[in-house]
Amino acid sequence: MKQKIVAKGLHKIFGRSPDIAMEMLRKGRHKDEIFKETGMVVGVQDANFAVNEGEIFVIMGLSGSGKSTLIRLLNRLIEPTAGQILVDGQDVATMSKAQLVALRRRDMAMVFQSFALLPHLTVLDNAAFGLEVAGVGRKERERRALEVLDEVGLKAFAAKRPAELSGGMQQRVGLARALAVDPSLMLMDEAFSALDPLKRTEMQELLLTLQKEHKRTIIFVSHDLDEAFRIGNRIAIMEGGRVVQIGSPDEILRNPADDYVRAFFKGVDVKRYLTAKDVALPDEVLVMEAPADLNAGFESAIGRLRQMRRNYGFVVDKERRVLGTVSIDSMLRCLAEGRTTLEQALLDDIPAVPGDTRMTELISNIVRNPYPLPIIDGERRYLGAVTQTILLRNMAQETANV
Amino acid sequence: MSEFLPIGEWADQAVNFLLENDSGTFGALGTFVGSLTELVEQALMFIPSWVLAVVLTALAFRRVGWRFALFCAAAVVVIIGTGFWNATMATLALVISATLISLMVGVPLGIWTAKSRLAAYFVRPSLDFMQTMPAFVYLIPAAMLFGLGKVPGVLATVIFAMPPVVRLTSLGIRQVNSEQLEAGVTFGCTPWQLLFKVQIPGALPSIMAGINQTIMMALSMVIIASMVGAGGLGNDVLTSISRLDIGLGFESGLAVVLLAIIVDRMTESFGVARPTKA
């Protein structure tokens, strides 16, 4: 996968003589010590990450963790003290002013927490702002602005002023303004944080829909775990100016790097973010390949199940694709009736569950069916089983962890 | 009494030095200011009083409301009825030209002080000086450098009336919402684009308040400027003082007050009519 933007050893120090603070950092001094001795603030310390093309990369952290500073270093709204920012291999940190202006017009757009629309312009002119600055003619930029306003559902409001719109609608204009320049990279700073929860979800949906239609590289700053997990392909967690962990939502959830990361999940219903494949265990239930000789196969399966004190087993084909579930009873019935076909033995009310099913859905499923459920991937291949016991054990564990 | 700091003497010498070594700049400046004022006055006098009265009242109705429109109509009747129309127009012409010059210099100066600490360092004490030095004092060097008449009156008025627009322009530019600035920069504004597309529009309500203040100060100063022969209503006020003519003083004073109220409300309405809320 192509890397769109790469940060290498990125630092930002606020204060009179950043060189001194940088030297202290290099000697391994802590940022608190540096602040105490020199009064200088280490805003971002040694940030390293790479964002792939077409990915939504969420930078998450509590307020004061440096996430807003970090995103502003990427387009040099804030000048970095040290390090590199490579956009398509070009170092933004060493660009001339003219190059930087060209890059901002062509490749990067930003959406702000407080919307930052220009109150003296109409919605249409706000959406066309980036194009106007870049010198696009009136006709062409208004056509394009109307197009993006349509995409965000605000075409009818083009002649209004921002102050006449609700917060959610204003941020749609903010989004349209960014989309209008068709940037390859979008920076979104707490873009939905000022909206009420309902509007926030709506905007997240909109962003995901837009992303489905046209994949852009998006860097999204958020303090909201819910939001990060919903929209993020990968998440970077920041603490005290440093990136402490980068990974997919699953990786971070299952392997928090430290107590700080773990603390994020405190009070959050983590189960909601787990999926079936996260809790499924591969060896909990007997798995057998569909036997060639059904009679012999069933008899040996019954024996093994009794030995394991289990009632149910899964049947898979040669590629380990799940065919269905059998029980001791269903197999005995088949043997007794002497009509041994595999279909006869399969319990037809036990569904195979896709691996990305959310826990909440899985729980309601398990409550309805007291059998083990086979969990499958996109090609129906067996991933593992979920039973009531496994589920309960998982929930108990989550509570203990927190 | 022995004075060991002859500052007054130095000021005297400085003005004399300027007089003796003037290579035509004061002449050119005087010609420019004189013709500007003349042009504005000619324009105001050219329009028949009733046309101006109707336009004024209509404008008052549109921008402010029917009550103020009524007030305007009444005020015009009073001014014409007391025979002060021409003097009032002469005063208005002085105010308009002094304000125009104040804005031409003051707005850029305000922007500059907002952007440069060094400029602010020098400009702020100068503004304090300009505002607090008793207004009459400017008249002396102005008269010496430009002779008697409208030109020294307008220039003394400019010095006295310019500080508010400089201060409020500077304040307005500095108070533009920082995320709006970031938005401008992010979308690739050059510094000039940022100034004209984000900062000045954002500062406009504050700038308009500054313009309003400048106009009001100009109005009070042009009356005083009649001492150097600037003319207008100030002449009548001055005459009434020297003759202890209460009637003339009251009538001319009333015309000044009515003009001030009309000008103030009108310019204020242009300031608030702009959408200022984000």
Side-chain angles (χ1 to χ4, degrees):
Chain A
M1 213 179 302
K2 205 183 146 225
Q3 292 182 332
K4 178 71 191 169
I5 179 163
V6 182
K8 283 186 188 165
L10 206 52
H11 286 79
K12 176 63 196 181
I13 286 152
F14 295 101
R16 281 170 180 277
S17 34
D19 291 345
I20 295 174
M22 279 300 293
E23 194 49 47
M24 290 173 80
L25 278 180
R26 240 170 266 140
K27 284 181 185 153
R29 307 288 297 275
H30 191 263
K31 59 174 274 190
D32 291 347
E33 291 178 299
I34 295 174
F35 178 70
K36 234 185 213 159
E37 281 175 39
T38 66
M40 281 186 275
V41 176
V42 180
V44 170
Q45 181 182 348
D46 197 21
N48 293 286
F49 58 83
V51 180
N52 299 320
E53 205 161 63
E55 163 176 66
I56 301 186
F57 186 80
V58 178
I59 301 174
M60 196 170 73
L62 301 176
S63 52
S65 61
K67 55 192 191 305
S68 284
T69 306
L70 180 56
I71 200 172
R72 282 168 170 72
L73 291 176
L74 301 181
N75 63 354
R76 273 175 64 186
L77 273 179
I78 297 177
E79 288 290 332
T81 309
Q84 286 185 310
I85 308 140
L86 303 171
V87 174
D88 296 323
Q90 261 195 310
D91 189 3
V92 179
T94 55
M95 270 183 187
S96 71
K97 277 188 177 155
Q99 283 175 307
L100 191 58
V101 164
L103 177 89
R104 285 168 176 161
R105 287 177 179 176
R106 192 184 58 235
D107 279 323
M108 289 181 160
M110 194 159 175
V111 183
F112 296 84
Q113 179 171 14
S114 70
F115 322 139
L117 301 175
L118 300 176
H120 61 282
L121 298 180
T122 61
V123 165
L124 183 69
D125 288 340
N126 263 295
F129 182 74
L131 298 168
E132 187 196 334
V133 166
V136 177
R138 173 168 290 276
K139 230 177 164 179
E140 170 59 19
R141 68 173 188 250
E142 285 187 349
R143 187 192 61 74
R144 173 73 189 140
L146 268 179
E147 215 173 87
V148 287
L149 282 175
D150 197 24
E151 273 181 65
V152 301
L154 279 186
K155 200 176 180 181
F157 296 85
K160 297 254 191 245
R161 304 233 173 222
E164 297 173 82
L165 305 185
S166 70
M169 289 160 100
Q170 287 190 38
Q171 193 57 305
R172 280 167 194 260
V173 181
L175 195 57
R177 177 173 63 180
L179 291 171
V181 295
D182 199 13
S184 55
L185 184 58
M186 292 233 295
L187 307 176
M188 304 184 73
D189 180 22
E190 300 258 11
F192 306 146
S193 301
L195 307 176
D196 64 63
L198 222 65
K199 281 273 149 31
R200 197 179 311 158
T201 317
E202 207 179 290
M203 291 299 284
Q204 289 161 358
E205 298 280 328
L206 175 66
L207 185 68
L208 291 176
T209 313
L210 292 170
Q211 187 70 354
K212 224 172 267 172
E213 283 161 14
H214 184 159
K215 280 232 179 277
R216 290 188 173 81
T217 311
I218 299 177
I219 297 182
F220 196 110
V221 164
S222 178
H223 64 258
D224 180 1
L225 185 82
D226 234 330
E227 186 165 72
F229 275 54
R230 238 177 113 87
I231 63 174
N233 297 114
R234 282 191 309 142
I235 298 172
I237 296 189
M238 286 194 79
E239 181 207 358
R242 292 183 326 153
V243 177
V244 290
Q245 188 170 15
I246 299 178
S248 70
D250 273 357
E251 283 163 17
I252 291 179
L253 200 60
R254 274 186 290 180
N255 267 322
D258 58 15
D259 286 344
Y260 177 83
V261 178
R262 212 166 287 128
F264 260 110
F265 308 141
K266 202 168 240 167
V268 174
D269 187 8
V270 179
K271 284 187 294 300
R272 275 191 300 165
Y273 305 111
L274 288 175
T275 55
K277 67 175 183 297
D278 293 328
V279 294
L281 295 178
D283 301 324
E284 199 73 5
V285 174
L286 178 72
V287 179
M288 56 176 184
E289 215 171 273
D293 177 355
L294 284 171
N295 282 324
F298 281 175
E299 270 164 23
S300 94
I302 291 169
R304 281 167 65 197
L305 280 171
R306 287 205 166 123
Q307 212 178 346
M308 290 166 71
R309 294 164 191 269
R310 295 277 196 274
N311 255 324
Y312 301 95
F314 301 138
V315 186
V316 297
D317 69 4
K318 283 197 167 51
E319 273 88 47
R320 290 185 72 76
R321 281 193 290 255
V322 172
L323 299 172
T325 306
V326 291
S327 69
I328 294 180
D329 289 346
S330 76
M331 287 188 289
L332 279 177
R333 209 180 320 118
C334 273
L335 290 173
E337 287 169 10
R339 292 186 299 149
T340 36
T341 63
L342 187 58
E343 282 71 32
Q344 205 67 46
L346 292 180
L347 301 167
D348 43 354
D349 55 350
I350 300 184
V353 178
D356 54 5
T357 306
R358 291 268 174 213
M359 277 298 256
T360 42
E361 211 176 312
L362 194 62
I363 290 168
S364 66
N365 217 328
I366 287 267
V367 170
R368 258 183 282 121
N369 306 303
Y371 331 106
L373 296 176
I375 308 299
I376 52 170
D377 67 7
E379 274 133 51
R380 287 193 68 82
R381 269 193 298 265
Y382 181 69
L383 293 172
V386 174
T387 64
Q388 288 183 325
T389 325
I390 292 172
L391 214 55
L392 283 172
R393 210 184 302 143
N394 243 292
M395 288 161 77
Q397 215 172 27
E398 292 304 336
T399 326
N401 268 354
V402 175
Chain B
M1 186 170 114
S2 72
E3 57 176 78
F4 58 93
L5 271 180
I7 291 178
E9 222 167 274
W10 296 339
D12 197 26
Q13 281 164 8
V15 171
N16 277 325
F17 176 82
L18 286 177
L19 266 177
E20 281 159 24
N21 296 282
D22 171 29
S23 52
T25 40
F26 287 115
L29 185 61
T31 314
F32 168 70
V33 173
S35 22
L36 177 69
T37 313
E38 206 58 45
L39 188 74
V40 175
E41 192 174 341
Q42 292 291 320
L44 286 175
M45 295 296 191
F46 175 75
I47 306 167
S49 58
W50 65 268
V51 173
L52 211 56
V54 168
V55 169
L56 193 71
T57 309
L59 206 60
F61 181 70
R62 262 190 68 89
R63 304 288 323 183
V64 187
W66 64 270
R67 261 183 280 210
F68 184 62
L70 227 65
F71 173 84
C72 276
V76 170
V77 170
V78 169
I79 291 172
I80 294 177
T82 48
F84 283 103
W85 180 260
N86 282 346
T88 305
M89 286 304 108
T91 295
L92 188 59
L94 289 172
V95 170
I96 289 174
S97 21
T99 303
L100 283 178
I101 297 168
S102 294
L103 298 189
M104 281 191 284
V105 181
V107 172
L109 199 61
I111 292 168
W112 192 38
T113 53
K115 289 181 171 283
S116 150
R117 289 175 76 109
L118 188 73
Y121 187 78
F122 286 106
V123 169
R124 279 189 52 193
S126 311
L127 294 180
D128 291 338
F129 183 94
M130 286 157 71
Q131 266 185 309
T132 47
M133 178 63 86
F136 305 89
V137 178
Y138 300 127
L139 294 175
I140 313 164
M144 287 177 72
L145 291 169
F146 299 99
L148 294 177
K150 292 186 193 330
V151 176
V154 168
L155 284 173
T157 304
V158 166
I159 292 175
F160 183 71
M162 199 170 59
V165 78
V166 178
R167 283 186 206 279
L168 283 161
T169 300
S170 173
L171 182 75
I173 296 278
R174 277 180 285 132
Q175 280 183 338
V176 172
N177 175 312
S178 66
E179 275 206 335
Q180 280 171 23
L181 286 182
E182 283 188 332
V185 174
T186 298
F187 283 96
C189 279
T190 59
W192 283 109
Q193 283 180 321
L194 195 66
L195 180 65
F196 284 106
K197 291 184 194 292
V198 180
Q199 291 180 300
I200 290 180
L204 209 56
S206 180
I207 295 176
M208 290 309 288
I211 293 176
N212 174 271
Q213 286 302 300
T214 286
I215 292 175
M216 297 313 287
M217 290 188 69
L219 189 56
S220 70
M221 185 62 191
V222 292
I223 305 301
I224 297 171
S226 63
M227 287 179 172
V228 290
L233 288 169
N235 265 357
D236 300 299
V237 174
L238 207 60
T239 315
S240 72
I241 294 172
S242 57
R243 288 197 210 142
L244 291 178
D245 183 339
I246 295 172
L248 179 66
F250 187 76
E251 280 178 352
S252 53
L254 187 66
V256 173
V257 171
L258 293 175
L259 180 64
I261 291 175
I262 292 171
V263 168
D264 180 43
R265 297 288 186 281
M266 287 297 225
T267 53
E268 197 184 29
S269 80
F270 281 94
V272 296
R274 313 234 164 214
T276 54
K277 281 164 290 181

